[in-house]
Amino acid sequence: MSITKGRHNLSIACMNISDFYKDERVSQLNKRNTIFEILSLKEENTSNILAWLLDPKEAHNKGNAFARHLLKACADKNGKVRALTLDDDKRNRYIDANDDKYFKEAFVYPEYMIKDSKCGRNGIAKGRIDLLVVDTQNDICLVIENKYGSREHGRQCKKYFKALKQLCRNQPQTKFIFIYLDVQSGSSECEEFINLDYDAVLNFKDEFPVDSMGYRLFKS
């Protein structure tokens, strides 16, 4: 009797689940609205795509165009982007997003390992910045925390900021632009980060010729 009842309950449960997924409201929520979802990419893979776009020497042949695209997305109404020096004053240094000199000879480091000797159980806290883009010619860096489905945890961005401050203590002239890029339009709890959603990435598709690798990536 109990077995029959258990099976009966299981049948009802399965029927309810089936009805749940047939619900039009659920179907709308399950629709995939970006190419990143259609391609079933994980966070690491989307970071690889971003690294490819940010590297001026890569085969997309767009040079620093994508880096400039992100700068413009971060800019205020006057076209200025807030950059920070990591000295004790933590002063704002605004750069012109329309200036094409930035990141022409950039180096891109995906999954950049950092250490902070002031944090962690054993005196060292390890973390990985999703993307570090370094322009040595202009003493400027992009620090990108890429979130594709996950959320910020453990005060990640704050730890990265502190670790970079320690790492660059002998280079007070270096300017940093911190970007929190979230496919779910979330925001970082760290005030030094500029919050962007993935529209800042997808809007770049029109920069590519229709027969290029970049165009096929966005329109495949």
Side-chain angles (χ1 to χ4, degrees):
M1 181 70 179
S2 60
I3 295 175
T4 304
K5 183 178 180 181
R7 288 177 178 174
H8 180 65
N9 288 339
L10 179 60
S11 175
I12 292 175
C14 290
M15 182 174 62
N16 289 339
I17 290 173
S18 177
D19 291 343
F20 174 77
Y21 281 107
K22 288 179 181 178
D23 191 294
E24 183 178 349
R25 293 167 295 178
V26 176
S27 298
Q28 289 296 322
L29 290 174
N30 282 333
K31 286 185 177 180
R32 294 173 291 181
N33 297 313
T34 73
I35 64 163
F36 295 97
E37 292 171 296
I38 293 168
L39 295 175
S40 300
L41 295 177
K42 298 179 181 179
E43 187 170 285
E44 183 179 351
N45 294 334
T46 61
S47 292
N48 288 337
I49 292 175
L50 296 172
W52 181 76
L53 290 168
L54 285 164
D55 191 336
K57 299 175 287 295
E58 268 290 3
H60 50 67
N61 297 321
K62 300 300 293 184
N64 65 341
F66 184 65
R68 293 183 60 208
H69 182 79
L70 286 185
L71 289 180
K72 290 177 182 178
C74 293
D76 61 21
K77 62 181 180 180
N78 297 314
K80 302 296 183 181
V81 181
R82 182 189 65 180
L84 298 175
T85 54
L86 302 187
D87 50 22
D88 290 334
D89 292 334
K90 201 176 67 175
R91 289 169 289 180
N92 291 336
R93 307 285 190 180
Y94 289 92
I95 67 169
D96 186 355
N98 295 307
D99 194 330
D100 66 357
K101 69 180 180 182
Y102 298 111
F103 302 105
K104 280 187 174 181
E105 302 293 333
F107 298 93
V108 182
Y109 301 96
E111 298 293 316
Y112 184 79
M113 175 68 74
I114 59 168
K115 298 180 181 180
D116 185 350
S117 62
K118 296 181 180 179
C119 300
R121 182 181 303 174
N122 299 315
I124 296 178
K126 297 180 179 180
R128 294 181 186 273
I129 295 173
D130 291 327
L131 289 161
L132 180 65
V133 187
V134 181
D135 178 355
T136 57
Q137 291 185 333
N138 295 290
D139 287 322
I140 189 166
C141 296
L142 277 179
V143 179
I144 301 176
E145 178 64 14
N146 177 36
K147 292 297 183 185
Y148 190 79
S150 62
R151 292 292 190 185
E152 183 180 6
H153 56 85
R155 297 176 62 83
Q156 283 177 298
C157 293
K158 201 70 177 177
K159 288 180 180 178
Y160 299 160
F161 179 82
K162 289 181 178 179
L164 285 170
K165 181 176 180 178
Q166 185 181 37
L167 183 66
C168 299
R169 60 185 178 276
N170 296 324
Q171 297 172 291
Q173 78 282 359
T174 303
K175 298 175 289 293
F176 287 84
I177 297 171
F178 295 91
I179 297 176
Y180 186 82
L181 181 63
D182 189 351
V183 74
Q184 297 179 358
S185 303
S187 59
S188 172
E189 62 183 18
C190 184
E191 63 181 7
E192 287 82 9
F193 278 72
I194 299 169
N195 299 308
L196 294 180
D197 61 29
Y198 258 68
D199 285 344
V201 176
L202 297 172
N203 289 345
F204 191 66
K205 65 181 182 298
D206 295 330
E207 297 292 324
F208 288 102
V210 294
D211 59 346
S212 69
M213 183 189 305
Y215 186 88
R216 291 196 297 270
L217 171 66
F218 283 107
K219 302 294 287 186
S220 59

